[in-house]
Amino acid sequence: MSKLVVISHTEHYYNPNGEIVGWEPTIREINHFSTIFDIVYHVAPLYSGNPHKAHAPYISRKIQYVPIRPSGGEGILKKLGIIFYMPFNLVTIIKTISKADWIHFRAPTNLGIFVLPLLTLYSNKKMWIKYAGNWKQKSIPLSYSLQRWWLKKNINQSIVTINGSWKNQEEHLLSFQNPCMNDNELYQAAALGTKKIFSNELKLCFVGRTDSNKGLLKILQALSNIGTLSRIKEINIAGGIEDGFLDSKLNTNNIIINYLGWISRNNLNKIYAQSHIIILPTQSEGFPKVIAEAAAYGCIPIVTNISPINQFIIHERNGLLLENPSIQNIKDCIVKIDRGEYNLKNISISTMELASQFTFSSYINRIQSEVTYG
């Protein structure tokens, strides 16, 4: 039997029914690993408290969740917790690794400082590592920088999958798209996306956290002094809403703002289906899955002109690029859209073509051909 252990920092909780649930985008990916492995162990932290609607259960009986203690966060005490809980967590990880043939570690994470050196002891195991962040990002925490250096030097002697393609990329670094939908979802999304009309009223959406890196406050500031818009009347905001954020929301000239908080996959897909444009003026990213998810529904991305995002999004072909995610640039782009200065229907059609690169079937096929059997 082929057995895989996945080690990640994915938050898990008990839902009111006593069922283990985790961050839905990652859980979906782990579920698909069960199509090529007989058993999948997922080692990840178990938190107290209540999950939100973007958490989901595992659907495959081949998956066994192995809890470890959460650690890290803001403040010196929480950071010291990384060291305090690490002996327990490492013992749990070691015991689980002993059951598996394959190891898959997901970086960067606070766990990585301890886990990556540990994995050098398992040269008899086959492994691959996923680096989910921006491979060339300049300003990152020291622990993330150390992990990226470690993976670049290939100290673990493993394949590392990364976002985007980069100049002088080492052979052990494989450029992989982040999967986010199955083939049936892609088909259903395209059927809805092709029917979208861009000549009348337009709806915007934002999906993500409200932290400064994601750019939501800039969007609201741009809308607050943009003047009267003739076609853009509404924006849906889905994702984590930080404490106090709603208290500081701005007057946005009669544009309806719907703060939805975390929502389920089905409801998120409904937002994509209703929206014409997704706006994500992020400062630094890998390639956010929400861009591909929205693209499947013909939802045009307004995103920052940074790599690896601009390796997939071509300005005025399958999206709109902001050279700088400033308030003024966001405002100017929205005004041009409202005035009809872009051929939005053609861009939307090309946007849907982009989404086909981000299916789970393509991802699993590449894992099989280039990682597990390469």
Side-chain angles (χ1 to χ4, degrees):
M1 295 180 68
S2 181
K3 301 177 182 179
L4 169 71
V5 56
V6 179
I7 306 165
S8 82
H9 64 289
T10 305
E11 295 182 4
H12 285 70
Y13 298 86
Y14 282 106
N15 68 14
N17 297 323
E19 189 178 27
I20 290 288
V21 295
W23 174 237
E24 190 265 354
T26 302
I27 299 303
R28 276 162 63 92
E29 191 173 334
I30 304 298
N31 280 327
H32 280 82
F33 288 155
S34 69
T35 65
I36 55 175
F37 290 95
D38 297 304
I39 297 177
V40 178
Y41 304 100
H42 188 189
V43 182
L46 177 63
Y47 286 76
S48 59
N50 298 316
H52 53 63
K53 293 179 181 179
H55 287 103
Y58 296 100
I59 61 172
S60 173
R61 294 183 179 179
K62 293 182 179 181
I63 300 171
Q64 297 182 25
Y65 169 62
V66 181
I68 57 176
R69 296 178 183 177
S71 60
E74 297 296 328
I76 186 66
L77 291 178
K78 289 186 177 180
K79 293 187 184 301
L80 287 173
I82 299 172
I83 299 173
F84 182 78
Y85 289 121
M86 195 49 60
F88 169 84
N89 288 341
L90 287 179
V91 168
T92 302
I93 290 168
I94 289 168
K95 286 181 178 179
T96 312
I97 286 176
S98 68
K99 303 176 184 179
D101 311 299
W102 274 91
I103 303 168
H104 174 47
F105 180 63
R106 301 168 75 85
T109 169
N110 290 323
L111 280 172
I113 294 296
F114 300 90
V115 173
L116 287 176
L118 173 68
L119 295 184
T120 61
L121 303 177
Y122 293 95
S123 57
N124 61 320
K125 304 277 186 179
K126 294 167 283 189
M127 72 178 74
W128 89 94
I129 298 167
K130 177 177 182 176
Y131 189 89
N134 187 320
W135 187 249
K136 294 291 186 179
Q137 186 176 340
K138 294 180 179 179
S139 299
I140 56 176
L142 177 60
S143 63
Y144 287 16
S145 180
L146 289 172
Q147 290 172 66
R148 187 171 61 184
W149 172 85
W150 184 282
L151 295 175
K152 183 176 181 180
K153 296 299 182 183
N154 201 18
I155 295 173
N156 290 100
Q157 294 297 300
S158 69
I159 288 173
V160 179
T161 62
I162 62 174
N163 289 298
S165 300
W166 307 91
K167 187 177 181 180
N168 300 321
Q169 185 170 308
E170 289 81 356
E171 288 186 5
H172 71 285
L173 302 177
L174 296 186
S175 301
F176 260 62
Q177 285 85 344
N178 263 328
C180 59
M181 70 198 77
N182 60 43
D183 292 341
N184 186 52
E185 288 171 322
L186 181 67
Y187 175 80
Q188 292 178 343
L192 294 171
T194 54
K195 296 177 182 178
K196 281 190 178 175
I197 298 171
F198 289 85
S199 56
N200 298 323
E201 196 168 292
L202 302 173
K203 289 185 178 181
L204 307 180
C205 70
F206 170 93
V207 182
R209 301 183 308 275
T210 57
D211 61 46
S212 58
N213 183 58
K214 296 291 185 179
L216 176 57
L217 186 57
K218 289 184 178 180
I219 297 171
L220 298 180
Q221 289 171 328
L223 292 174
S224 71
N225 60 11
I226 205 168
T228 302
L229 298 175
S230 61
R231 294 200 294 154
I232 298 175
K233 302 296 184 181
E234 184 175 359
I235 180 169
N236 285 306
I237 296 169
I241 306 296
E242 293 179 351
D243 291 342
F245 182 83
L246 296 181
D247 298 333
S248 63
K249 65 181 182 179
L250 306 172
N251 174 15
T252 51
N253 294 304
N254 298 318
I255 294 174
I256 299 170
I257 303 178
N258 300 312
Y259 293 96
L260 306 174
W262 294 115
I263 59 178
S264 67
R265 166 59 49 186
N266 286 339
N267 285 333
L268 182 57
N269 287 342
K270 290 177 182 178
I271 294 301
Y272 293 144
Q274 297 167 5
S275 301
H276 299 84
I277 293 159
I278 181 170
I279 180 165
L280 192 67
T282 181
Q283 298 281 359
S284 58
E285 288 280 354
F287 187 88
K289 289 186 178 185
V290 298
I291 296 176
E293 290 170 357
Y297 289 86
C299 196
I300 298 169
I302 299 177
V303 288
T304 312
N305 188 10
I306 54 174
S307 283
I309 291 175
N310 59 12
Q311 296 178 24
F312 296 93
I313 304 299
I314 309 300
H315 186 59
E316 292 192 52
R317 182 184 300 175
N318 60 2
L320 299 171
L321 291 175
L322 301 169
E323 288 302 321
N324 184 320
S326 66
I327 296 169
Q328 186 62 47
N329 283 351
I330 295 169
K331 175 182 173 181
D332 291 344
C333 185
I334 292 173
V335 168
K336 287 181 179 179
I337 289 170
D338 195 69
R339 291 175 178 171
E341 295 186 22
Y342 300 113
N343 191 329
L344 297 180
K345 184 63 178 180
N346 284 353
I347 296 174
S348 174
I349 292 170
S350 296
T351 297
M352 285 187 285
E353 295 171 1
L354 168 75
S356 63
Q357 300 179 48
F358 295 85
T359 62
F360 285 108
S361 59
S362 296
Y363 179 69
I364 292 300
N365 286 340
R366 289 196 63 195
I367 292 292
Q368 287 184 292
S369 63
E370 300 176 48
V371 177
T372 59
Y373 302 106

